[in-house]
Amino acid sequence: MQRIESHASFGGVQEVWQHESSALSCTMRFGIYLPPQARERACPVLYWLSGLTCTEQNFITKAGAQQFAADHGLIVVAPDTSPRGDAVADADGYDLGKGAGFYVDATQAPWAAHYRMHAYVASELPALIEANFPATGARAISGHSMGGHGALVLALRHPGRYRSVSAFSPIVAPSRVPWGEKALTAYLGEDRDSWRAWDACALITNAAERLPLLVDQGEADEFLATQLRPELLEQACRDAAHPLILRRQPGYDHSYYFIASFLGDHFAHHAQALGLRKA
C-alpha cells in the first residue's frame, strides 16, 4: 500500500491510499478518515459507497463527514466506485463502466475480469483496513444513489456483517429502472432472475436479518420518479415487515448539498448502533 494524501482535519487525519486489489485485478484507491480517538484506541468503521461518476474524492471533499466522524470516534472508509486502469473495460456514457461499477460481481465478458466491486467492498477492503489501521471488526455501511443501492444490498446479502445501514437517494430496485437495467444486463447478462440477488427490494422479501434501514430522499431529486422510486422500497418493507425509516425531504435534490444537510443524522444512527457516545 502507498499513502498518497494526508490532511489534518478536525483533530484527526484524512488520508488517501493506493493498493493492488486482488478482487479487481487493478490498482485501487480509497479515502480513510482516522478520527482523533484512533490515536488512543481501535475504532469502528463506517464504509461509504459513492454514486455514478464518483471516485474516492467526492465524499471526502464535499460531504463534511470528518467533523461527524471526529465527534463520534468513527473511522470512515470511502472506496472508489469501480476498477480503474488502461486494462479495465469501459463504455461510452457515465452509467456503465469506469465510475459505474454498481457494486456487483460481473459474470459477463468483458466486465467479469475486473468488475467485482461487491467482493472488493464486502471482503478485500475490510480485511485490508482491519489489518493496517486501528480498526475494530465493528462495521456500518452507507452510500448515495448507486452507492445507496450498494450499501443496502451489501447489508442484506451479509447478515451480521454490519451493525447498521443507511442510504441517501438509493437506487432501491435496479431491476426496474433504466440505470439498473442497463448495468445489470451488461454485467450479469439477460437473465433477469439472476438480477434479484442484486436488488434490495427483492432481497428484503427473504432477508435473514431485520437490520433497520434509514433512507433519506430529496423530493426535488431530478431522478426520483425514473431511477430511484423509493415507494418500491417502502412497499417491499411493508410486505416483509422489515423496519424502514424513509424520510422524504422537501426541496432537496440529488446533490452533495442534500447529503451534507442530513449526514449528521446518519452518523448518529450508525454511532448508536455501534455503541458509541458523542465526544
Side-chain angles (χ1 to χ4, degrees):
M1 286 203 311
Q2 178 186 7
R3 185 173 62 187
I4 57 176
E5 288 186 36
S6 182
H7 312 281
S9 182
F10 291 96
V13 60
Q14 176 67 60
E15 299 180 341
V16 176
W17 288 75
Q18 181 170 288
H19 73 106
E20 297 304 313
S21 167
S22 58
L24 304 176
S25 299
C26 67
T27 302
M28 288 294 286
R29 292 183 177 185
F30 63 86
I32 182 168
Y33 178 72
L34 300 167
Q37 295 89 336
R39 290 194 291 268
E40 307 294 333
R41 64 177 186 273
C43 297
V45 183
L46 170 65
Y47 291 87
W48 172 271
L49 307 182
S50 291
L52 290 166
T53 76
C54 291
T55 69
E56 81 288 343
Q57 291 290 325
N58 296 70
F59 183 69
I60 67 176
T61 59
K62 295 180 179 180
Q66 293 85 356
Q67 180 175 0
F68 302 121
D71 285 345
H72 293 289
L74 258 173
I75 293 172
V76 180
V77 174
D80 201 348
T81 55
S82 77
R84 302 283 178 175
D86 293 341
V88 173
D90 202 4
D92 293 333
Y94 71 94
D95 53 357
L96 187 68
K98 294 177 186 177
F102 256 84
Y103 304 101
V104 303
D105 290 343
T107 60
Q108 305 298 302
W111 312 103
H114 297 282
Y115 283 76
R116 303 184 67 247
M117 286 299 296
H118 183 86
Y120 177 70
V121 174
S123 300
E124 183 180 7
L125 186 58
L128 187 73
I129 297 301
E130 290 163 24
N132 292 280
F133 298 94
T136 71
R139 310 178 194 100
I141 192 164
S142 187
H144 172 234
S145 194
M146 178 185 72
H149 142 75
L152 295 175
V153 167
L154 277 147
L156 289 164
R157 284 175 59 110
H158 299 281
R161 186 164 299 185
Y162 303 99
R163 303 279 183 89
S164 54
V165 58
S166 73
F168 288 85
S169 317
I171 304 169
V172 301
S175 63
R176 288 185 273 178
V177 300
W179 276 342
E181 289 176 323
K182 180 177 180 178
L184 298 183
T185 299
Y187 298 145
L188 304 176
E190 299 284 351
D191 180 8
R192 285 178 171 259
D193 285 342
S194 71
W195 298 3
R196 292 179 59 82
W198 308 99
D199 186 305
C201 287
L203 290 168
I204 282 168
T205 303
N206 297 306
E209 180 183 34
R210 289 292 187 260
L211 195 65
L213 313 180
L214 171 61
V215 174
D216 269 304
Q217 175 62 62
E219 290 189 337
D221 192 317
E222 60 269 40
F223 304 112
L224 178 60
T226 56
Q227 306 284 10
L228 307 179
R229 304 189 63 189
E231 72 278 1
L232 297 178
L233 180 66
E234 197 168 39
Q235 185 62 54
C237 287
R238 185 181 301 118
D239 292 345
H242 195 107
L244 167 68
I245 300 171
L246 173 58
R247 309 193 310 181
R248 292 177 170 87
Q249 305 291 1
Y252 286 90
D253 59 19
H254 199 70
S255 71
Y256 268 82
Y257 295 109
F258 169 50
I259 295 170
S261 297
F262 299 100
L263 191 61
D265 294 348
H266 285 240
F267 267 80
H269 167 78
H270 294 295
Q272 182 177 19
L274 291 162
L276 297 174
R277 293 183 179 180
K278 191 172 181 178

